[in-house]
Amino acid sequence: MIYDVLYFAWVRERIGLPKEKVTSDATTVAGLVADLCAREERYAVAFSDISALRVALDQELSTFEAPLDGVREIAFFPPMTGG
Amino acid sequence: MIYDVLYFAWVRERIGLPKEKVTSDATTVAGLVADLCAREERYAVAFSDISALRVALDQELSTFEAPLDGVREIAFFPPMTGG
Amino acid sequence: MRVIVQEQPFDLAAEVESFAKGRTDLGAVVTFHGIVRGDDTGTLDHMMIEHYPGMTERALTTIAQEAMRRWSLGDVLVLHRFGEMRAGDRIMMVATAARHRKDAFEAAEFLMDYLKSRAPFWKKEYAADGASWVAAKSDDEDALSRW
Amino acid sequence: MRVIVQEQPFDLAAEVESFAKGRTDLGAVVTFHGIVRGDDTGTLDHMMIEHYPGMTERALTTIAQEAMRRWSLGDVLVLHRFGEMRAGDRIMMVATAARHRKDAFEAAEFLMDYLKSRAPFWKKEYAADGASWVAAKSDDEDALSRW
């Protein structure tokens, strides 16, 4: 499957881009993250501590265990600091 | 002693005036109230249920048991409804 | 800290705009304002708010000072009208400014709880079918117990 | 109910003035606004707020709808800026209007607690000696547990 993958805040800075198309056979978010980390060092660095990250699937907060069935857009970012 | 006695809201309406000078030998607020009630029916009506009233001595909330030593201004009114 | 008791309407927008303006040490501002509600049957013509001149200013000042003492606040405003008001009119406002939102929120709620039951104001409602004094609510008295 | 996400400054006075204006069924309005604090050492030059276009509007709408569902509210406003801001600038505001003050206060605090940790905004501070992302506070995450 091809996904739109978005990165925000320091995740974006470490990976070096805000958005990309990613092709992966992973069935969960964690599987997709493993695919990315295997690609290049900068992904492995950005995703080195998953507990410090959040993920949204199609713009809804989700978890790293969530399945990717039907998902188009995946976003990774640190804990939010609005307000 | 001569006191400035003030009435507010429905206490003022029942007694029929906002303010008056009252001469009394009472030593407590309750004693002063008893003096007033003995004077005229309208006072007895206004003070018939003390638990529904509040008293301020020199513009500070107080109680009916409080002594009148050094007090100049006494105000009677129902529970406040500000805000 | 400002405490204002006045008969004329106040300019809510101007008060909110100027409150804590330009302060760079405060991150959080909370405001509350109260509005005269039409009664449920819509028969309210107007409301008269009576107060105790002198004691009112003292009581509001004491309440505002107590808020400054209990919470870490950069500024406090308490403004309350008296006299005649109609449905939709703004009766009063409070504003609190603090470094953090928790202090600003708690202090504003504290001010309101104390204003309701400890500031010498009394409301009388005038309707087509007569006039009546607004009764104090036991809820409002109970609200004080949390502070 | 209004939810606004914008880069340009907002007119706090005009928003407060028009919010719930003329409503005679609502007695209580609470507003909160957040201000960029200068940091303790005073070296903050500016702050950049990044957000997630699309998700931001959805998240704020969801939070505002949840407030309307949980409390008896007449109106809700949530407004949040993104982009560059300096110390003293107003970042965001919420407003709630209700028949009674308790609903207005609780809903405003709920909105703020959720905005802090559930709306996709990230702050980066730029100072003379470098730039750093503002870390989420465990306090803010903990604040959600009360709702």
Side-chain angles (χ1 to χ4, degrees):
Chain A
M1 290 293 297
I2 302 176
Y3 302 98
D4 285 318
V5 180
L6 284 69
Y7 310 107
F8 292 96
W10 57 254
V11 181
R12 173 179 54 70
E13 291 177 338
R14 288 191 195 171
I15 290 174
L17 78 180
K19 187 172 180 174
E20 62 183 324
K21 298 273 184 195
V22 173
T23 303
S24 169
D25 295 326
T27 57
T28 65
V29 175
L32 181 84
V33 168
D35 281 0
L36 289 169
C37 289
R39 279 195 186 179
E40 278 184 61
E41 180 66 12
R42 59 195 167 109
Y43 292 98
V45 169
F47 289 107
S48 61
D49 180 8
I50 285 290
S51 73
L53 293 180
R54 302 288 180 268
V55 60
L57 301 182
D58 290 331
Q59 306 189 352
E60 296 280 354
L61 276 178
S62 188
T63 66
F64 286 83
E65 293 73 46
L68 293 176
D69 304 335
V71 169
R72 291 185 53 254
E73 182 173 301
I74 304 168
F76 296 103
F77 42 79
M80 296 160 273
T81 53
Chain B
M1 290 295 294
I2 302 176
Y3 302 99
D4 285 318
V5 181
L6 284 69
Y7 310 108
F8 292 97
W10 57 255
V11 181
R12 172 180 53 71
E13 292 178 336
R14 287 190 196 172
I15 291 173
L17 77 180
K19 186 172 180 173
E20 62 184 323
K21 298 273 184 195
V22 173
T23 303
S24 170
D25 295 327
T27 57
T28 65
V29 175
L32 181 84
V33 169
D35 280 359
L36 290 168
C37 290
R39 277 192 188 182
E40 279 185 60
E41 179 67 13
R42 59 195 167 109
Y43 292 97
V45 169
F47 289 107
S48 61
D49 181 9
I50 285 290
S51 72
L53 294 181
R54 302 288 180 267
V55 60
L57 302 182
D58 290 331
Q59 306 189 352
E60 296 280 355
L61 276 177
S62 187
T63 66
F64 286 83
E65 294 73 44
L68 293 176
D69 304 336
V71 169
R72 290 185 52 254
E73 183 172 300
I74 304 167
F76 296 102
F77 41 78
M80 295 160 273
T81 53
Chain C
M1 193 185 100
R2 282 169 74 217
V3 169
I4 303 162
V5 181
Q6 65 181 39
E7 185 160 8
Q8 68 270 29
F10 61 96
D11 186 339
L12 174 71
E15 293 295 346
V16 173
E17 177 61 31
S18 62
F19 184 74
K21 179 126 183 174
R23 293 281 292 263
T24 60
D25 57 328
L26 301 172
V29 174
V30 170
T31 75
F32 177 96
H33 66 270
I35 301 167
V36 179
R37 284 204 312 272
D39 64 12
D40 293 326
T41 52
T43 60
L44 181 75
D45 183 75
H46 68 280
M47 171 184 278
M48 284 294 301
I49 300 185
E50 182 171 336
H51 80 122
Y52 182 171
M55 180 173 167
T56 309
E57 291 78 358
R58 287 171 65 128
L60 297 185
T61 301
T62 300
I63 294 166
Q65 286 171 338
E66 181 66 14
M68 299 281 284
R69 195 183 67 72
R70 291 197 188 200
W71 288 277
S72 179
L73 300 175
D75 203 1
V76 168
L77 166 66
V78 177
L79 186 157
H80 206 301
R81 294 180 63 198
F82 59 91
E84 183 177 325
M85 268 156 263
R86 289 174 187 271
D89 286 355
R90 291 162 178 158
I91 304 177
M92 51 75 61
M93 71 172 291
V94 302
T96 56
R99 195 167 167 79
H100 300 292
R101 72 186 187 284
K102 187 168 187 291
D103 287 312
F105 271 118
E106 286 189 5
E109 291 192 73
F110 169 87
L111 289 170
M112 287 309 303
D113 285 350
Y114 270 81
L115 271 175
K116 283 272 172 189
S117 308
R118 292 292 182 269
F121 292 100
W122 301 274
K123 293 176 183 144
K124 189 170 187 176
E125 293 178 340
Y126 292 79
D129 55 351
S132 60
W133 290 96
V134 173
K137 296 197 202 101
S138 59
D139 279 5
D140 285 332
E141 189 64 32
D142 295 347
L144 300 186
S145 62
R146 63 172 163 154
W147 304 111
Chain D
M1 193 186 99
R2 282 169 73 217
V3 169
I4 303 162
V5 181
Q6 66 182 37
E7 185 160 10
Q8 67 271 29
F10 60 96
D11 186 339
L12 174 70
E15 294 294 348
V16 173
E17 178 61 30
S18 63
F19 185 75
K21 178 124 182 175
R23 294 280 293 263
T24 59
D25 57 328
L26 302 172
V29 174
V30 171
T31 75
F32 176 95
H33 66 270
I35 301 167
V36 179
R37 284 204 313 271
D39 64 12
D40 293 328
T41 52
T43 60
L44 181 74
D45 184 74
H46 67 280
M47 170 184 279
M48 285 294 301
I49 300 185
E50 181 172 337
H51 79 122
Y52 182 171
M55 181 173 167
T56 309
E57 291 78 358
R58 287 171 65 129
L60 297 185
T61 301
T62 300
I63 293 165
Q65 285 171 338
E66 182 65 14
M68 299 282 283
R69 196 183 66 73
R70 291 196 189 202
W71 288 277
S72 179
L73 300 176
D75 203 1
V76 169
L77 166 66
V78 177
L79 186 157
H80 206 302
R81 294 180 63 198
F82 59 90
E84 183 177 324
M85 268 156 264
R86 290 175 187 269
D89 287 355
R90 291 160 178 161
I91 304 178
M92 51 75 61
M93 70 172 292
V94 301
T96 56
R99 195 167 165 79
H100 300 292
R101 72 186 187 284
K102 186 168 186 292
D103 287 311
F105 271 117
E106 286 189 5
E109 292 192 72
F110 169 87
L111 290 169
M112 287 308 305
D113 285 349
Y114 270 80
L115 272 174
K116 283 271 170 188
S117 309
R118 292 291 181 271
F121 292 101
W122 301 273
K123 294 177 183 143
K124 189 170 188 177
E125 293 178 339
Y126 293 78
D129 56 350
S132 60
W133 291 97
V134 173
K137 296 196 201 104
S138 60
D139 278 5
D140 285 333
E141 189 64 32
D142 295 347
L144 299 185
S145 63
R146 62 173 165 154
W147 304 111

